[in-house]
Amino acid sequence: MSFSYRSILAKSVKQTSFIRSGIQQRSYGALRAVAASDPRHDHTVHITSSRGVTITHDPLLSKGTAFSLDERERLSIRGLVPPRCQDMDKQLLRVKRNLDGCDTPLAKFIFLSALQDRNETLFYKLLIEHLEELSGIIYTPTVGLACQKSHSIYRRSRGMYFSSQDRGRMSAMVYNWPHDEVDVIVVTDGSRVLGLGDLGANGMQIPIGKLSLYVSAGGIRPRAVLPVVLDVGTNNQSLLDDPLYLGMDHRRLEGEEYYDMVDEWVTAIHSRWPNALIQFEDFKYPHAYNLLNKYRDKITCFNDDIQSTSAITLAGILASLKARGKEQTDLSEERIVCVGAGSAGVGVCEGIIDCLVAQGKVKTREEAYRRIWMLDQDGLLGAVRDTPLDERQQSYVKHDMADRLTLEQVVEKVKPTVILGLTGIRGVFTEKAIRTMAQHTEKPVVFPLSNPDTHAECTAEEAFKWTDGRAIFASGSPFKNVEMPGGKIGYTNQCNNSYSFPGLGLGITVSRASRVTPTMFLETARVIADLATPEQLKQGILFPGVSKLRDIALAVGTRVCDVAYEEGVATATLKEFELLSDVVENSMYKPEYVPLVYHQNNH
Ligand SMILES: NC(=O)C1=CN([C@@H]2O[C@H](COP(=O)(O)OP(=O)(O)OC[C@H]3O[C@@H](n4cnc5c(N)ncnc54)[C@H](OP(=O)(O)O)[C@@H]3O)[C@@H](O)[C@H]2O)C=CC1
Ligand SMILES: CC(=O)C(=O)O
Ligand SMILES: [Mg+2]
């Protein structure tokens, strides 16, 4: 079973071929022109005004033992590193051996962070070569544990912290960041870190991990990414009580104070880097939606948990239709139960509604809402809710069903074909609910999407056991395939926004899109939904594995770039013809050592 890069790209190009009109052809050339003059694409030499230990201690410039003798001479580092010049292959051998010697996932996380902090080129080379294995360390599930322990394992700062004590100073503070070019910023306030709740400033590991995927999978340059924590305080009492905690020692700002602080930060960031994409990450409900609605039409931004999660989950559902021998346009025949009515739950369901309406089989959004049954902590959103629901959640209320029905009661009545878990709570998918679902549908689509794995609504083993091996399974964090009685394999999929945001960021960055549009998410879903082969679908494999994230990002990035031109939000200048996929591919960062040249006046 293999997904080659070309087959992935060919599928995505086929997807987008219908828009290859004259104006589009001009846009490809324009991007080529941008590519030619853009420092992102110069892999031949790097000019620096640094010398000596400033270079060997700079993770963006350091090559460790790989500096050539010429370089050592001209950069004044002769004698500052061991005498033998060792190329990257040997360095990779050393770091991989050391990594394998770490006895716990957290020890591996600490080792990889240290590597990233001393030599980013080597870090990314290692990450790309072992993406599947290492994404489970720098990303979910291990990053969750790293966040919980962040204040105890702290070694060195990465990214920027903007805290309540910095109010009134942020427009000056942004100039403390040493790089003028920033393409992607991931920001969190640490209020809902994965399914782990409020982790305050410890949430920094999430933007760092997300941006490591932006670089390794999405091909964004390491020096053009900025992880940020907005430290508005924390309501996590055990962190507040911990003498080692590194964030502000007060409870969270709320209301006007909170929104004013975020606004000061957005204004400061936008004034220094007006073209940077801002990804809002792990903000609790309803702040996540309020911030998205406030800024989506003003700056280049999106919310990862709401929007890119919706793209990958929609892709999973569309691919599952094919896996069940149906057409993707049969989405309107699905009965979808979504457990979780927060940022991700509502965001995912809005993406499904958008797709239903775009497919045209349902005529109105109201009609589309009838295909989805949503539950929160209290049960079904039914008639008549006495606790407040906001406008978005109201749309899902089933006026013909009793309020607060349990999941099991809902499954019994609705007989869903698809069940989504976005609660952050382990065990929400009960044996009874899944078994009942499996009685009414041949291939139940079971997606426990909460992270990390310890917070998934059910495990892969449970899903396959309770459905007699018939489930089509996808989870937010990785689960191993399950061997079932009789030797049959239950194939697992990872359905995580890491499949969508790197390509979105790539397409937005290359086209210099001024806005992130809903079509970009819908098209991302369509591209990813079409990647699996018929044989793979037959086995229940919905997407290529995590090792293919870079190829997927290229396919998604190409289509997103296309959309930016179609919708008139791209700001890269148009000139002559060039194949868009080549432009996007050529713009992707590759971790290779380039010769360093000293120049006194380089800034
Ligand atoms: N796979 C992926 O790519 C992604 C996964 N996620 C995961 O989704 C989860 C939720 O994130 P997010 O939506 O932002 O969080 P929110 O806190 O905004 O929402 C959580 C929702 O779950 C509901 N809930 C909690 N407990 C239960 C329960 N026992 N039964 C039913 N519903 C329950 C809450 O109900 P109430 O409103 O009543 O409190 C709330 O509606 C997280 O674990 C996160 O890791 C998020 C983004 C991407
Ligand atoms: C994956 C992700 O963004 C989350 O769990 O919050
Ligand atoms: Mg998130």
Side-chain angles (χ1 to χ4, degrees):
M1 149 206 347
S2 75
F3 289 92
S4 74
Y5 148 67
R6 283 289 155 202
S7 74
I8 287 176
L9 194 61
K11 281 171 187 257
S12 113
V13 168
K14 200 171 67 200
Q15 277 271 321
T16 62
S17 59
F18 69 96
I19 50 91
R20 303 243 179 273
S21 61
I23 190 162
Q24 285 304 318
Q25 292 181 358
R26 274 187 281 125
S27 75
Y28 310 148
L31 290 164
R32 176 81 184 95
V34 171
S37 62
D38 191 321
R40 279 177 300 179
H41 314 289
D42 185 357
H43 296 298
T44 52
V45 70
H46 184 88
I47 317 277
T48 173
S49 58
S50 304
R51 278 199 292 197
V53 285
T54 316
I55 289 202
T56 55
H57 290 180
D58 181 343
L60 288 167
L61 296 178
S62 182
K63 303 180 183 181
T65 56
F67 290 105
S68 69
L69 285 180
D70 272 356
E71 243 169 1
R72 294 172 189 211
E73 189 60 38
R74 65 176 184 259
L75 299 171
S76 309
I77 54 179
R78 194 178 266 274
L80 298 181
V81 286
R84 188 179 297 198
C85 304
Q86 250 180 1
D87 60 19
M88 201 187 266
D89 286 349
K90 305 252 175 22
Q91 294 179 318
L92 279 172
L93 200 63
R94 183 185 302 112
V95 289
K96 187 65 171 65
R97 269 190 201 160
N98 283 320
L99 180 70
D100 292 343
C102 296
D103 51 7
T104 63
L106 190 62
K108 288 184 190 216
F109 180 93
I110 294 169
F111 177 84
L112 287 171
S113 297
L115 175 59
Q116 187 174 19
D117 287 342
R118 64 176 188 271
N119 183 339
E120 295 211 27
T121 318
L122 187 59
F123 168 78
Y124 283 113
K125 188 77 177 177
L126 182 74
L127 188 52
I128 289 171
E129 287 196 357
H130 303 276
L131 204 46
E132 184 135 10
E133 176 190 345
L134 300 189
S135 77
I137 306 291
I138 59 133
Y139 194 60
T140 187
T142 306
V143 74
L145 183 60
C147 285
Q148 290 172 311
K149 306 243 177 214
S150 185
H151 57 297
S152 324
I153 61 173
Y154 179 82
R155 270 33 175 200
R156 179 177 168 159
S157 184
R158 172 169 285 271
M160 283 192 84
Y161 296 83
F162 294 81
S163 72
S164 52
Q165 69 191 356
D166 300 320
R167 284 176 287 176
R169 295 182 173 83
M170 293 184 199
S171 60
M173 270 174 77
V174 287
Y175 289 93
N176 292 346
W177 189 249
H179 306 296
D180 286 335
E181 290 165 41
V182 168
D183 289 336
V184 184
I185 296 165
V186 178
V187 59
T188 186
D189 68 357
S191 52
R192 191 284 286 147
V193 175
L194 309 178
L196 303 170
D198 180 351
L199 294 180
N202 280 13
M204 179 54 109
Q205 302 303 339
I206 295 289
I208 292 174
K210 294 266 174 189
L211 286 164
S212 294
L213 289 181
Y214 262 112
V215 174
S216 53
I220 308 294
R221 293 167 304 150
R223 69 176 59 236
V225 301
L226 172 57
V228 171
V229 156
L230 282 178
D231 186 351
V232 299
T234 178
N235 295 343
N236 183 327
Q237 197 57 45
S238 67
L239 286 179
L240 288 173
D241 291 342
D242 192 323
L244 294 187
Y245 179 58
L246 292 159
M248 296 301 294
D249 61 352
H250 59 76
R251 294 182 72 75
R252 287 187 171 272
L253 303 182
E254 286 296 348
E256 214 172 310
E257 268 196 307
Y258 173 83
Y259 288 105
D260 284 351
M261 180 170 149
V262 179
D263 203 48
E264 183 185 342
W265 178 79
V266 170
T267 307
I269 290 288
H270 192 58
S271 79
R272 181 160 184 206
W273 298 290
N275 295 322
L277 165 67
I278 297 177
Q279 172 170 317
F280 290 102
E281 188 69 49
D282 289 6
F283 284 74
K284 74 173 185 187
Y285 197 85
H287 289 162
Y289 262 102
N290 293 344
L291 294 173
L292 178 63
N293 289 339
K294 185 166 178 184
Y295 296 112
R296 72 199 315 168
D297 295 328
K298 297 196 177 115
I299 56 172
T300 313
C301 70
F302 68 86
N303 181 296
D304 188 37
D305 304 294
I306 296 171
Q307 294 170 290
S308 35
T309 310
S310 100
I312 184 58
T313 308
L314 177 61
I317 296 172
L318 293 176
S320 83
L321 281 163
K322 291 207 287 183
R324 288 175 283 154
K326 301 181 184 186
E327 299 294 322
Q328 292 190 0
T329 46
D330 293 336
L331 182 62
S332 57
E333 287 160 29
E334 295 299 292
R335 295 182 303 280
I336 300 170
V337 166
C338 178
V339 197
S343 311
V346 172
V348 161
C349 291
E350 287 300 294
I352 298 169
I353 303 288
D354 288 347
C355 184
L356 280 166
V357 173
Q359 286 183 346
K361 284 198 184 168
V362 298
K363 296 288 169 250
T364 61
R365 289 187 86 77
E366 286 62 41
E367 206 184 325
Y369 284 122
R370 283 187 221 128
R371 269 72 176 172
I372 298 178
W373 289 259
M374 188 177 274
L375 290 84
D376 65 7
Q377 235 177 110
D378 296 326
L380 181 75
L381 308 191
V384 176
R385 238 333 138 94
D386 49 8
T387 51
L389 294 178
D390 66 22
E391 203 185 323
R392 286 173 292 271
Q393 296 163 327
Q394 284 285 355
S395 307
Y396 295 91
V397 170
K398 295 288 165 288
H399 297 285
D400 56 350
M401 287 173 77
D403 190 36
R404 296 169 197 258
L405 292 182
T406 64
L407 176 61
E408 288 158 7
Q409 290 169 322
V410 172
V411 169
E412 187 67 58
K413 280 187 190 302
V414 170
K415 304 182 179 43
T417 52
V418 177
I419 185 165
L420 308 173
L422 290 151
T423 62
I425 308 291
R426 167 86 187 99
V428 163
F429 288 178
T430 59
E431 177 168 358
K432 184 157 179 226
I434 301 299
R435 281 198 186 277
T436 307
M437 182 183 178
Q439 280 168 15
H440 300 288
T441 179
E442 193 194 327
K443 289 194 171 181
V445 177
V446 182
F447 284 6
L449 298 176
S450 291
N451 299 309
D453 51 352
T454 47
H455 287 242
E457 286 74 9
C458 72
T459 65
E461 210 167 333
E462 287 167 343
F464 286 113
K465 189 169 154 206
W466 298 338
T467 60
D468 307 316
R470 288 180 284 126
I472 294 180
F473 179 89
S475 52
S477 298
F479 278 91
K480 288 201 169 72
N481 291 338
V482 176
E483 197 172 330
M484 290 175 294
K488 195 181 157 207
I489 303 291
Y491 286 97
T492 61
N493 299 277
Q494 190 172 350
C495 179
N496 189 294
N497 49 36
S498 55
Y499 273 84
S500 38
F501 69 75
L504 279 154
L506 175 64
I508 290 162
T509 303
V510 174
S511 62
R512 286 272 168 242
S514 61
R515 296 290 176 272
V516 185
T517 68
T519 318
M520 292 177 181
F521 298 98
L522 203 50
E523 288 302 303
T524 295
R526 287 188 175 143
V527 168
I528 300 175
D530 271 345
L531 295 178
T533 63
E535 298 75 54
Q536 287 158 337
L537 289 169
K538 214 181 277 174
Q539 293 173 306
I541 298 169
L542 304 174
F543 316 121
V546 170
S547 64
K548 300 291 177 200
L549 282 186
R550 198 171 163 91
D551 300 335
I552 296 167
L554 174 55
V556 168
T558 304
R559 182 65 191 121
V560 167
C561 214
D562 240 346
V563 171
Y565 279 92
E566 277 174 75
E567 301 200 319
V569 295
T571 63
T573 338
L574 307 184
K575 278 191 192 146
E576 63 202 56
F577 178 84
E578 179 82 5
L579 192 62
L580 185 59
S581 55
D582 287 349
V583 176
V584 176
E585 187 180 10
N586 291 337
S587 81
M588 289 174 82
Y589 164 78
K590 294 169 198 70
E592 287 156 6
Y593 291 135
V594 294
L596 297 179
V597 174
Y598 171 72
H599 191 274
Q600 199 175 358
N601 296 324
N602 184 64
H603 294 293

